[in-house]
Amino acid sequence: MIRINQLKLPVDHTEEALWAKTAKTLKVPVKEIKDLQIIKQSIDARKKDEIHFTYSVDVVLPNEETVIHKAKNVNVVLSEKKEYCFPGSGSEKMSSRPVIIGAGPAGLFCGVMLARNGYRPILLERGEAVEKRRQAVDEFWKNGILKPDSNVQFGEGGAGTFSDGKLNTLVKDPFMRNRKVLELFVEFGADPSILYMNKPHIGTDILSDIVKRMREEINRHGGDVRFNSRVTDFIIKDGRLSHVVVGGEEEIPAEILVLAIGHSSRDTFEILEKRGIPMEAKAFAVGLRIQHPQECINNSQYGSRHHDVLGAADYKLTHQSSSGRGVYTFCMCPGGYVVNASSETGMLAVNGMSYHDRAGTNANSALIVTVSPDDFRGMGPLSGVAYQRKLEQAAFLSGAGKIPVQLYGDFKDNRLSTSFGDVEPAFKGQYEFASVREFLPAYLSESLIEGVEAFDRKIRGFARRDAILAGVESRTSSPVRIPRNEFFESEIKGIYPCGEGAGYAGGITSAAMDGLKVAEAVASRFQRFPI
């Protein structure tokens, strides 16, 4: 097989043009190419009048070494197909079925791999199945009545279900776990283009159907996915987990427990601390959401042409503030909405969400500042949780239970907004004008303003006075880490911390990859669980 890198084509090219360009690069007739697979597609928009796609492709044809020699091109090389490999079963026997807490990406992908390989996992999800969960979320956005165990954070699919569904990750992938995650997404209903797009995304509408199919796959292979099953305690004997308690009553044997609880399971963190499971506070980031017209972002990133082909443009911006804090955009949602993502009564958090078509009027992104345990001013591993809660309580009070909103110009001048400008609001959930700046610590507000002004030098109009700010964006990543050893096991034997909630991932793909890692660790140690 031959790999060709840096294959450049106009954005409006046809499939035939890709084959023709490939053949020309290899100096062979098109008919000699037996197979062509796109490995990567990215947009090069550095020159707005010369925007093009750049491809890496794998090609199969006869006499490949001879073809490479004749091509005399540094971007044409021999390539070997690499595939993900799940390990064979270990030798230790399990006295009970493995238990997974959490049906987010980490838990679901771990569950699928264990179920397919004969381990019959029990997956406990505190929230509802995605069908009922969507109804609960829609009702919350409409009338503000929160269901603490079924909301934007909790329920089948995890927090990522109500997001843009971005699948890009910076995690290095020598074992092809990233590819395996994408292949599984496609198997369960995602568009195959995510296999090669540089910045793949699925969208909240498609993700909902995918996670349902993953649940059905786990059940089909002997697993058991249970909803409305909140774990309320952990029974530990002689330094080893023996059972988990569900709903304060039911004890389930749990010799092996995959702890994939997500970054918002604060009550579970409290139980873990009470039971002596080692945890530590970690840095994360907090801030606001900012909305701009998507057309402005498109024009800045792509110029005035090809929007119909290239789709809604995204961005990723960073700045080092004068105070030394990092300011950056995060989880940018092209054509999306700012949503009320609260999960605790009397507190308010926001997030961003896009549908698959990204056809909304506005672009939005988290605009966040790094914070560390030095900022929390508290003792113990849950000091970051207390910090988040304090901000969320202030946001809730500021907006009287609705999403607090302030235009950027008024935020900068520290005055209350009274009307929107040319940027039309795009929210899921009720919102209210409020003094957003007042509920943030001064070091956050000042850093955010400095960052916005710096970003305006990269994207013209980013600092427009009528850009819409909303807060608080506090759930960017887990505020704790649950340490694990090289075998992915906690100091308390039998507990396998996993995914974003445990501090080992930051997004859908990396969490799913961590789910694969933990499934591999369990499978390589233990025998399959018999029917």
Side-chain angles (χ1 to χ4, degrees):
M1 185 165 59
I2 294 176
R3 170 72 54 84
I4 307 176
N5 296 313
Q6 294 297 312
L7 203 60
K8 300 177 181 180
L9 285 150
V11 295
D12 56 355
H13 74 83
T14 62
E15 182 178 357
E16 290 77 13
L18 176 60
W19 281 69
K21 184 66 175 286
T22 300
K24 183 177 180 181
T25 302
L26 296 176
K27 300 179 181 179
V28 299
V30 172
K31 63 182 180 181
E32 287 194 17
I33 299 175
K34 305 302 181 185
D35 185 51
L36 186 153
Q37 182 180 10
I38 300 173
I39 302 302
K40 185 177 180 181
Q41 178 202 62
S42 58
I43 300 169
D44 188 336
R46 288 173 292 181
K47 296 180 179 180
K48 301 297 184 285
D49 57 343
E50 296 180 13
I51 296 178
H52 58 268
F53 286 123
T54 300
Y55 289 93
S56 291
V57 299
D58 280 349
V59 183
V60 176
L61 72 171
N63 305 313
E64 290 175 349
E65 291 188 8
T66 300
V67 169
I68 291 174
H69 179 73
K70 289 183 177 181
K72 295 181 179 180
N73 188 325
V74 294
N75 292 314
V76 178
V77 296
L78 275 178
S79 176
E80 292 184 7
K81 186 174 183 179
K82 297 180 181 179
E83 293 185 346
Y84 171 79
C85 183
F86 194 78
S89 297
S91 58
E92 295 185 41
K93 290 185 177 181
M94 290 186 290
S95 60
S96 59
R97 296 162 65 182
V99 176
I100 301 169
I101 303 178
L108 282 174
F109 277 81
C110 182
V112 165
M113 296 309 295
L114 288 177
R116 284 183 166 180
N117 287 277
Y119 289 88
R120 301 178 59 218
I122 299 171
L123 199 157
L124 304 175
E125 168 54 50
R126 67 190 296 163
E128 295 175 309
V130 70
E131 302 94 329
K132 290 185 178 180
R133 181 189 181 197
R134 290 178 69 174
Q135 295 175 10
V137 169
D138 287 340
E139 192 66 21
F140 170 59
W141 286 340
K142 180 180 179 181
N143 60 33
I145 299 175
L146 176 70
K147 296 184 72 170
D149 282 331
S150 190
N151 46 61
V152 172
Q153 305 296 341
F154 299 135
E156 186 176 25
T161 301
F162 295 94
S163 71
D164 180 59
K166 264 179 284 296
L167 301 179
N168 51 303
T169 178
L170 299 178
V171 176
K172 294 183 179 179
D173 187 33
F175 299 101
M176 303 302 290
R177 294 189 185 100
N178 189 353
R179 177 75 182 189
K180 182 62 177 179
V181 166
L182 297 179
E183 289 174 347
L184 286 171
F185 271 125
V186 171
E187 178 183 343
F188 293 117
D191 191 296
S193 65
I194 68 170
L195 295 172
Y196 58 78
M197 291 180 66
N198 186 43
K199 297 179 181 179
H201 98 107
I202 295 180
T204 185
D205 45 342
I206 307 299
L207 266 173
S208 296
D209 294 331
I210 288 172
V211 298
K212 176 185 176 182
R213 296 187 189 108
M214 294 185 75
R215 173 229 306 171
E216 293 169 346
E217 180 75 355
I218 293 170
N219 290 335
R220 185 180 303 114
H221 286 272
D224 183 14
V225 181
R226 293 176 49 179
F227 298 107
N228 302 302
S229 298
R230 183 166 62 91
V231 173
T232 54
D233 209 350
F234 302 84
I235 299 175
I236 299 168
K237 298 178 180 178
D238 301 322
R240 175 177 288 279
L241 182 72
S242 65
H243 294 74
V244 294
V245 180
V246 175
E249 298 179 353
E250 181 186 7
E251 293 187 7
I252 298 177
E255 177 186 9
I256 303 300
L257 175 70
V258 178
L259 199 63
I261 56 178
H263 59 39
S264 294
S265 297
R266 295 165 174 172
D267 52 352
T268 309
F269 290 147
E270 292 169 347
I271 298 168
L272 292 169
E273 183 186 33
K274 182 179 179 181
R275 293 304 176 203
I277 286 84
M279 294 186 293
E280 57 195 31
K282 61 178 276 291
F284 54 99
V286 295
L288 306 170
R289 279 267 154 186
I290 188 165
Q291 295 185 56
H292 300 93
Q294 183 63 53
E295 184 178 5
C296 293
I297 303 301
N298 293 345
N299 290 336
S300 176
Q301 300 297 75
Y302 297 148
S304 60
R305 303 168 59 203
H306 305 305
H307 295 179
D308 56 331
V309 178
L310 299 174
D314 64 3
Y315 58 79
K316 185 176 182 180
L317 304 169
T318 62
H319 174 70
Q320 190 77 16
S321 71
S322 56
S323 66
R325 294 179 185 272
V327 184
Y328 57 101
T329 61
F330 171 79
C331 191
M332 190 268 167
C333 296
Y337 302 85
V338 174
V339 307
N340 190 332
S342 305
S343 62
E344 291 185 291
T345 302
M347 303 183 203
L348 194 144
V350 297
N351 195 11
M353 182 189 86
S354 296
Y355 295 107
H356 179 69
D357 61 10
R358 289 177 164 175
T361 303
N362 285 0
N364 77 74
S365 177
L367 184 67
I368 50 179
V369 181
T370 53
V371 292
S372 71
D374 291 338
D375 297 303
F376 307 155
R377 298 179 182 179
M379 300 295 290
L382 302 187
S383 55
V385 172
Y387 182 89
Q388 289 176 324
R389 280 175 163 162
K390 184 177 180 180
L391 286 175
E392 292 174 17
Q393 288 169 344
F396 182 89
L397 292 174
S398 179
K402 301 175 183 179
I403 299 172
V405 174
Q406 191 172 23
L407 302 191
Y408 173 66
D410 295 328
F411 179 87
K412 186 177 178 181
D413 296 339
N414 198 18
R415 65 188 180 199
L416 188 70
S417 300
T418 57
S419 63
F420 293 106
D422 291 335
V423 183
E424 298 180 2
F427 288 99
K428 294 288 186 179
Q430 301 170 339
Y431 55 90
E432 184 80 25
F433 282 123
S435 184
V436 173
R437 182 166 180 172
E438 288 187 0
F439 68 71
L440 294 179
Y443 59 83
L444 291 182
S445 297
E446 292 165 2
S447 296
L448 291 172
I449 292 170
E450 188 178 333
V452 171
E453 297 300 319
F455 298 157
D456 193 64
R457 296 190 288 272
K458 300 176 182 179
I459 294 180
R460 186 177 180 181
F462 199 90
R464 58 189 291 165
R465 294 184 63 83
D466 62 349
I468 302 172
L469 297 176
V472 59
E473 178 87 20
S474 52
R475 312 288 183 92
T476 56
S477 65
S478 180
V480 304
R481 178 173 287 108
I482 306 174
R484 65 189 187 189
N485 61 23
E486 65 270 30
F487 303 109
F488 300 89
E489 194 172 17
S490 168
E491 181 181 302
I492 303 300
K493 300 303 179 185
I495 295 179
Y496 290 77
C498 180
E500 191 159 355
Y504 296 99
I508 293 173
T509 300
S510 60
M513 291 172 66
D514 204 57
L516 297 191
K517 290 180 185 178
V518 172
E520 294 162 16
V522 171
S524 61
R525 178 178 173 183
F526 294 97
Q527 296 179 13
R528 296 179 175 88
F529 197 86
I531 297 176

